[in-house]
Amino acid sequence: MQKLLLLGDEAIAQGAIDAGISGVYAYPGTPSTEVTEYIQSSKDAKERGIRSSWSANEKTAMESAIGMSYAGKKSLVCMKHVGLNVAADAFVNSAITGANGGLVVLSADDPSMHSSQNEQDSRFYGKFALIPVLEPSDQQEAYDMTRYAFDLSEKFNIPVMIRITTRLAHSRAGVERSTMLPENTVHLPTNPAQFILLPSNARKQYEELLKKQASFESDAGESGYNILTIGDDKTIGIIACGLASNYLNENYQDDSIPYSVLRIGQYPIPYKLLNELYESVDEILVLEDGYPIVEEQLRGSLNKGKKIRGRMDGSIPMAGELNPNIVGKALNLTIEEGYPLPAILQNRPPSLCEGSSHTDTFTALNEVIQEYSPGRVFSDIGCYTLSALAPLRSINTCVDMGASITMAIGAADAGLLPAVAAIGDSTFTHSGITGLLDAVNTKSPITVIINDNSTTGMTGGQDSSAFGKVEDICKGVGVEEEHIKIIVPLKRNHEENLKVIKDELHYNGVSVIIAKRECIQTLRRRMKLKALKKREPEITD
Ligand SMILES: Cc1ncc(C[n+]2csc(CCOP(=O)(O)OP(=O)(O)O)c2C)c(N)n1
Ligand code: SF4
């Protein structure tokens, strides 16, 4: 079969295409974005007409995927770990409805917070929702497991989660493809009440879900992704989950690991295998990227007095991602630290692109806000969040997507006036609109600056659901038309923009300033594409 060089994300995307999905639903978020982008540019996906445009947020994505599953077809839904918080209502309830067509949820975690606000572990969400979770250890497994996830989903009529972390998502390896399976045809669930979660139905469905737990566990016990290897050295037994398995291999040449190893790639935890390992060794070392979820369970009722090592006893640092050196040190191996990084490779703080519209907007805001005491600019998440750093130092908060407007409401209620919210166009349609509606309904005296750069800049320039609609949405939500102002953030408009911001900050009600100028990165890409298209006839002639 064809061999491809793929990122972990791309391997999942290719696996889903080959598993016969009819749609992918997603909102961008590092490190999950490339799954959907790969499907969007895949020739096979185009030929099949696989639906792949971006959703407004993770909850709408999750619900659309559930809808496709209801209609009998296979669907994939992708998000970063914090996106699962946004989708959580639909996600947890989808375990109660169960699936009809295969339903797979890809959640990409970001331990060490390379591009995130926290390092929560999605496996907890899987456990919380009581569904099977798969965790690949390399790119080939990412591909194979995705296909397997759809089989598992249809075998048990249950959504299945695939959990990956940044290092796997964003590193490449050779992946062997298997044949492409056909899509499902539309077929409704055999139980017409399956997706009607009235309490009387939900109670029955929940009982069903509880009954399925034993099958999920026995399936995990027999899974080819949970393998126990008994070693000659019984002093330590190692549990290696997902990518940690790869880090363990990197510490030993030629498969020479002397210890017994239980590799876990499918949850719920295969307790039978876990017990077998526990009984055959003196102590256990747990290697898992993220929270100590397996370790915690092992330290509980399963522990009959043996020493358990992992994150909780400090053998491995509690925070941050694993790597081969951390694993080697936990095994008392001699680690070669390598050379110190040259300065050019060392971490530098990110910054706004030169010429970004956000620089002009926040330069103007800084100038106006000087009149007031500090601490009143509530920001959201996007490129504009970088205005927290020098030289601008414009914003005072950034908590979660949508929180700028709602936090400004709370602060204004507390008497911090004027209060300013700064949000991007994509974030506005993700979760800012409802906050603005709250502000309108309570006549909250806040000024909302919507940085409309026609794209989702921070995650690489994906289409924004807000494109061409921001002004109309604000009117529709009920903001008074005379307090919806549009400015073009350019140096030459600086004086004019200062006046607009000043006037709206003085207004005792909801005002919106739309700072409208395209992201220069997407503008450049668009121009390049246009130039290429113009030259196309010459090339083909
Ligand atoms: C719940 C959640 N989903 C996704 C992300 C990833 N993410 C960070 S900012 C952002 C959107 C940025 O777009 P926009 O608001 O238009 O601002 P821009 O970056 O274009 O300035 C996304 C998708 C996140 N941090 N949290
Ligand atoms: S990517 Fe676009 S929005 Fe983000 S800083 Fe650069 S120019 Fe500004």
Side-chain angles (χ1 to χ4, degrees):
M1 259 331 265
Q2 190 186 21
K3 199 151 188 181
L4 303 165
L5 185 64
L6 298 177
L7 294 177
D9 274 353
E10 295 171 343
I12 287 167
Q14 189 64 59
I17 294 168
D18 293 345
I21 56 163
S22 300
V24 58
Y25 297 89
Y27 182 71
T30 312
S32 70
T33 312
E34 291 84 351
V35 179
T36 306
E37 287 182 333
Y38 184 89
I39 298 174
Q40 285 171 343
S41 59
S42 150
K43 198 168 148 272
D44 289 331
K46 270 198 193 87
E47 275 169 16
R48 281 205 167 175
I50 294 174
R51 183 263 175 234
S52 64
S53 46
W54 295 104
S55 302
N57 66 35
E58 293 85 353
K59 181 172 182 283
T60 63
M62 182 75 222
E63 289 157 351
S64 305
I66 297 172
M68 183 170 271
S69 166
Y70 165 88
K73 296 205 174 187
K74 292 177 221 172
S75 60
L76 175 70
V77 54
C78 304
M79 60 200 75
K80 70 182 286 163
H81 59 327
V82 287
L84 196 53
N85 298 333
V86 177
D89 195 8
F91 169 73
V92 175
N93 289 341
S94 73
I96 311 286
T97 62
N100 184 30
L103 175 56
V104 173
V105 182
L106 179 272
S107 184
D109 292 356
D110 188 19
S112 283
M113 298 180 240
H114 298 285
S115 359
S116 307
Q117 311 94 288
N118 74 31
E119 56 174 38
Q120 68 188 55
D121 187 327
S122 296
R123 293 176 302 164
F124 268 103
Y125 260 116
K127 186 169 167 6
F128 181 52
L130 301 169
I131 63 167
V133 176
L134 300 174
E135 193 184 11
S137 64
D138 61 23
Q139 285 71 7
Q140 183 67 54
E141 255 188 27
Y143 174 84
D144 296 336
M145 270 188 181
T146 306
R147 294 175 61 111
Y148 173 70
F150 282 99
D151 291 344
L152 204 61
S153 173
E154 293 195 342
K155 177 171 158 190
F156 291 115
N157 287 329
I158 193 79
V160 171
M161 176 191 278
I162 300 176
R163 182 257 187 169
I164 54 168
T165 53
T166 307
R167 297 288 165 184
L168 179 68
H170 286 172
S171 56
R172 268 178 212 284
V175 171
E176 191 156 339
R177 256 183 100 177
S178 311
T179 46
M180 209 169 151
L181 301 175
E183 291 177 64
N184 289 352
T185 51
V186 171
H187 61 279
L188 295 185
T190 44
N191 168 10
Q194 184 188 336
F195 285 81
I196 307 174
L197 291 187
L198 278 169
S200 54
N201 291 341
R203 278 193 288 270
K204 282 188 212 136
Q205 302 270 114
Y206 182 51
E207 286 296 333
E208 286 296 312
L209 177 62
L210 292 178
K211 270 191 226 146
K212 283 180 190 170
Q213 298 307 303
S215 325
F216 296 165
E217 198 193 313
S218 63
D219 205 81
E222 273 139 39
S223 168
Y225 295 116
N226 292 333
I227 303 288
L228 174 62
T229 324
I230 300 294
D232 294 332
D233 188 333
K234 306 284 190 242
T235 52
I236 309 176
I238 303 169
I239 297 171
C241 305
L243 190 57
S245 190
N246 215 331
Y247 295 153
L248 177 64
N249 290 347
E250 282 195 40
N251 277 284
Y252 293 94
Q253 304 288 316
D254 317 318
D255 279 344
S256 61
I257 305 171
Y259 308 114
S260 298
V261 180
L262 172 58
R263 296 177 194 272
I264 299 184
Q266 181 175 340
Y267 306 81
I269 295 172
Y271 290 108
K272 208 169 121 270
L273 297 176
L274 204 68
N275 265 326
E276 227 175 286
L277 174 76
Y278 185 93
E279 295 302 340
S280 64
V281 296
D282 299 338
E283 67 174 50
I284 302 271
L285 173 68
V286 190
L287 305 173
E288 52 192 328
D289 222 351
Y291 292 176
I293 179 166
V294 173
E295 185 184 344
E296 204 175 68
Q297 288 178 72
L298 206 55
R299 283 176 183 277
S301 54
L302 286 178
N303 191 10
K304 292 171 219 142
K306 285 187 183 168
K307 188 169 177 188
I308 312 282
R309 295 203 295 123
R311 289 195 189 261
M312 293 171 83
D313 77 330
S315 297
I316 289 167
M318 196 66 183
E321 63 187 343
L322 282 184
N323 62 39
N325 282 5
I326 291 176
V327 169
K329 278 180 195 159
L331 285 159
N332 295 321
L333 298 172
T334 314
I335 303 300
E336 282 181 36
E337 290 292 352
Y339 299 103
L341 279 182
I344 196 163
L345 291 177
Q346 275 166 15
N347 274 349
R348 278 160 293 166
S351 59
L352 290 165
C353 304
E354 211 179 316
S356 173
S357 56
H358 299 331
T359 307
D360 295 303
T361 304
F362 285 96
T363 304
L365 177 65
N366 277 359
E367 216 171 305
V368 177
I369 213 104
Q370 270 177 20
E371 280 181 37
Y372 307 95
S373 59
R376 55 190 68 246
V377 181
F378 299 88
S379 177
D380 232 292
I381 308 182
C383 283
Y384 47 91
T385 318
L386 297 173
S387 70
L389 309 175
L392 285 165
R393 298 193 195 284
S394 307
I395 63 163
N396 306 110
T397 69
C398 163
V399 178
D400 65 91
M401 288 189 78
S404 57
I405 300 178
T406 31
M407 281 183 72
I409 294 174
D413 288 344
L416 186 71
L417 295 169
V420 180
I423 189 167
D425 54 328
S426 179
T427 306
F428 179 61
T429 43
H430 177 283
S431 49
I433 301 174
T434 44
L436 187 60
L437 182 61
D438 277 353
V440 168
N441 287 345
T442 55
K443 298 190 172 40
S444 189
I446 64 168
T447 302
V448 179
I449 298 179
I450 304 179
N451 299 294
D452 183 1
N453 59 3
S454 306
T455 192
T456 318
M458 179 146 247
T459 44
Q462 295 76 25
D463 291 345
S464 162
S465 300
F467 187 72
K469 301 185 182 78
V470 176
E471 199 181 341
D472 286 343
I473 293 173
C474 294
K475 282 183 200 163
V477 163
V479 182
E480 294 164 58
E481 285 194 31
E482 57 274 32
H483 289 288
I484 301 176
K485 298 283 169 64
I486 295 179
I487 62 169
V488 180
L490 279 168
K491 280 185 188 50
R492 65 166 180 266
N493 299 335
H494 184 69
E495 291 306 318
E496 200 182 308
N497 295 346
L498 284 181
K499 183 172 175 343
V500 172
I501 299 173
K502 206 173 203 163
D503 288 351
E504 294 312 317
L505 254 66
H506 280 142
Y507 174 60
N508 185 22
V510 183
S511 64
V512 172
I513 300 170
I514 304 170
K516 206 172 165 67
R517 174 154 77 84
E518 185 174 358
C519 157
I520 53 168
Q521 300 297 348
T522 51
L523 178 69
R524 270 189 203 137
R525 271 203 297 274
R526 231 166 25 84
M527 291 303 152
K528 217 166 150 183
L529 213 70
K530 209 167 156 189
L532 274 174
K533 276 200 177 134
K534 257 195 192 156
R535 278 176 30 209
E536 237 166 41
E538 294 166 30
I539 297 163
T540 46
D541 271 354

